[in-house]
Amino acid sequence: KKILKDSENSTHCYCWMDPLIKNIVVEKDKFRIFDFEQATIWDPAYDIGAFVAPWYIQYLKGNVGYEYIELFFEQYAKSMGKYRINKADIDGILERAMVYTHTTMLHISIGNDQWDMMDSEERSLIAKKATKFFDEKFAVMSG
């Protein structure tokens, strides 16, 4: 309930809600997104979390360094600063984005094509990390 309440109380914006690689076209130094059938007005942290989740899974598997995720967050914060969004709001968005990153990983763990392609070791790693994240987050919230 707290996660949803935090998102409901956030500043909302247009969200894509479908960050699949097949919905992204890369052109030289920029990318374009499409497939807006799930688009809505919502907390920007959801879009960021869902977008970062596949990178985070690769980080957990040891395929990429965490600096890629940090760089994404830094660039996001920098671009939002250009639109005069204050630092506290940006920090809140990025904190909630990590919640949604782990929520997306749990969603994947329920079972879908992406989950089916992973071996049992990968599944276990993702489920344990996401569960640990929420156990720690809820322990702080209730403690």
Side-chain angles (χ1 to χ4, degrees):
K1 287 181 183 180
K2 179 170 181 351
I3 293 167
L4 289 175
K5 184 176 181 182
D6 287 348
S7 285
E8 288 171 358
N9 292 331
S10 71
T11 299
H12 291 78
C13 68
Y14 186 80
C15 292
W16 178 28
M17 308 290 280
D18 200 9
L20 301 174
I21 293 196
K22 67 181 183 178
N23 294 337
I24 302 171
V25 175
V26 178
E27 301 172 339
K28 292 187 182 182
D29 62 344
K30 57 185 162 183
F31 68 92
R32 300 189 190 284
I33 59 175
F34 59 97
D35 189 359
F36 293 92
E37 69 185 348
Q38 296 180 36
T40 189
I41 303 297
W42 186 238
D43 181 359
Y46 177 85
D47 256 6
I48 297 166
F51 193 77
V52 167
W55 294 356
Y56 198 83
I57 290 169
Q58 292 304 313
Y59 159 70
L60 291 176
K61 291 166 50 176
N63 295 334
V64 298
Y66 193 75
E67 64 270 11
Y68 290 101
I69 296 168
E70 290 176 323
L71 180 61
F72 180 85
F73 283 167
E74 287 171 18
Q75 292 301 314
Y76 179 85
K78 190 178 192 180
S79 68
M80 291 299 98
K82 288 180 185 176
Y83 294 102
R84 294 187 176 84
I85 297 173
N86 69 48
K87 184 174 176 357
D89 286 343
I90 293 169
D91 290 346
I93 290 168
L94 296 179
E95 182 179 329
R96 289 190 314 280
M98 284 309 289
V99 170
Y100 283 114
T101 296
H102 288 83
T103 301
T104 300
M105 290 191 321
L106 285 177
H107 172 73
I108 291 168
S109 73
I110 292 169
N112 62 22
D113 293 344
Q114 186 177 1
W115 187 253
D116 292 339
M117 292 186 304
M118 295 179 189
D119 63 36
S120 61
E121 189 175 316
E122 291 174 313
R123 292 176 188 167
S124 178
L125 176 68
I126 292 165
K128 284 179 183 175
K129 174 58 181 164
T131 301
K132 181 180 178 195
F133 175 85
F134 284 110
D135 285 348
E136 291 170 358
K137 185 129 187 99
F138 290 123
V140 170
M141 288 172 25
S142 63

